[in-house]
Amino acid sequence: MGRAGLGSCLLLLLLLGGSGSPGTTPQPRGPWAQGQGPVPERGPWGRARYEAVKKHLGAVGALSRQYWRSLACRVWQEGCEEEEKQHEEREAGWSFPLVGQDYLEILSAWYCSFGKCCETGDCRIINNITGLEADLSGHLHGQHLAKEVVVRAVQGFLQSPRPQKALVLSFHGWSGTGKNFVARMLASHLYRDGLKSDCVRVFVSLLHFPHHNYVDSYKTQLQRQVGETLQRCRQALLIFDEAEKLHSSLLDAIKPFMAQQDSKGQADEQRSIFLFLSNLGGNTINEVALDFWRAGRAREEISLELLEQQLRLELQEAAESSYAHSQLLRENLIDVVVPFLPLEHQHVKLCARDAFLARGLPYTEATLDQVAQMMVFVPKEEKLFSAQGCKSVPQRINYFLP
């Protein structure tokens, strides 16, 4: 019998063989049970867990043999007198052995262990780095640095057996250059349910923390929400949009969650990724890109070392930003500052192509050119970079609907 067939048979036997008398509906147990909180044990299976599952699966085997003998005797009557006697004795109590307290959870985990989704030990977490790399390559336009840095940083972090701290990435660049796009893509390739996963939390500064008068209340709320997410998931993703508008007290509140962990503690089981998205540094990034263009050099020649160094200098000199002057930078809690370059005409055309394809609409090269020409390009003399990046491109194609 194949794995899928065996899994189906075991599931049927368990549903038929739950506690209670014949004819009663067994109470569901496992991840779909109402009112049942998160599964307490999510880490990789240790020796104790293995022995417990082995014991429970042994009980499943014994249970299945009893059901098979009972079924066979109902079909073939010969030589079943002893079985019928045992069946009559069981009618009063129906005392088939229980598989264990969380038998459906165990069966689900056992069955899922044959699938790719449970290589992580938690089926909410998929960590599809290959898919992430392919999607970034095919749909993130004009961002050679972000493609390389994000994949390399996340893959290395997830492969580390005992990370000493959370992975903290800070995305910088003009609006519309792909910061939110990459954040969404990370969520969709690391988690089965993407941004809807209960392992992912998104905070937008002006939406969630609009009034500085209530910062103390926000601080308590933020610490609780981040702590609950980390407790609920051994691998969590925390996204902070408009990071430059976060109050310094809020940044101080989440700093302990990013700091170095005790190597003797749960660092091998608990890991978290923090993403900060900010428009800070956009002017510095654009100036470097413009200088390369004026010098006749390809934008792909721009290195991370050059941009990151200049970005950090600009952040340190920013006068009005709590994020720039927070302990995150001074204490080197940010692992990588990821620059997003300004987008040129050719990149806007590629964004327009993706928008047409996403809606199943036909397009021509002339149509893509028309969409790109509807955007505003700067600086005034060169008209090289899209002032809005690709942010409004999906709305622009509405003008070309049949």
Side-chain angles (χ1 to χ4, degrees), residues 9 81 153 230 246 299:
C9 289
E81 294 79 10
L230 297 181
L246 282 171
R299 62 192 281 134

Side-chain angles (χ1 to χ4, degrees), residues 16-89:
L16 290 174
S19 59
S21 60
T24 60
T25 302
Q27 294 298 315
R29 306 184 68 169
W32 54 83
Q34 293 295 328
Q36 187 161 320
V39 179
E41 187 171 356
R42 301 185 183 85
W45 288 3
R47 184 68 185 177
R49 180 69 164 167
Y50 168 79
E51 292 296 338
V53 173
K54 182 178 177 182
K55 176 182 176 181
H56 291 313
L57 290 180
V60 171
L63 180 60
S64 63
R65 286 193 293 273
Q66 291 190 42
Y67 272 114
W68 171 250
R69 287 197 299 269
S70 177
L71 178 61
C73 284
R74 292 185 183 185
V75 178
W76 301 285
Q77 299 295 324
E78 297 180 3
C80 287
E81 294 79 10
E82 183 65 22
E83 178 64 27
E84 289 178 357
K85 181 179 179 180
Q86 294 179 5
H87 177 73
E88 291 173 358
E89 294 174 353

Side-chain angles (χ1 to χ4, degrees), residues 122 124-125 191 196-201 229 232-238:
D122 185 337
R124 296 171 299 179
I125 303 169
Y191 303 93
K196 296 181 179 179
S197 173
D198 57 2
C199 295
V200 179
R201 290 301 298 261
T229 304
R232 186 165 55 239
C233 301
R234 65 180 188 83
Q235 178 185 303
L237 175 63
L238 293 308

Side-chain angles (χ1 to χ4, degrees), residues 105-176:
E105 176 202 343
I106 293 168
L107 177 62
S108 175
W110 172 80
Y111 179 76
C112 193
S113 67
F114 293 111
K116 185 177 181 180
C117 72
C118 273
E119 290 176 358
T120 62
D122 185 337
C123 278
R124 296 171 299 179
I125 303 169
I126 56 177
N127 289 346
N128 182 12
I129 300 298
T130 302
L132 172 64
E133 189 171 13
D135 264 1
L136 288 177
S137 178
H139 300 290
L140 180 65
H141 307 301
Q143 305 297 350
H144 68 284
L145 291 175
K147 290 177 185 178
E148 178 184 356
V149 171
V150 170
V151 171
R152 187 173 58 196
V154 172
Q155 185 175 33
F157 178 71
L158 295 179
Q159 290 177 347
S160 175
R162 302 182 70 88
Q164 295 183 344
K165 62 181 290 294
L167 174 64
V168 184
L169 303 179
S170 191
F171 294 175
H172 294 267
W174 266 7
S175 178

Side-chain angles (χ1 to χ4, degrees), residues 200-214:
V200 179
R201 290 301 298 261
V202 179
F203 301 95
V204 182
S205 296
L206 293 183
L207 176 64
H208 294 98
F209 319 110
H211 305 293
H212 284 186
N213 291 338
Y214 303 116

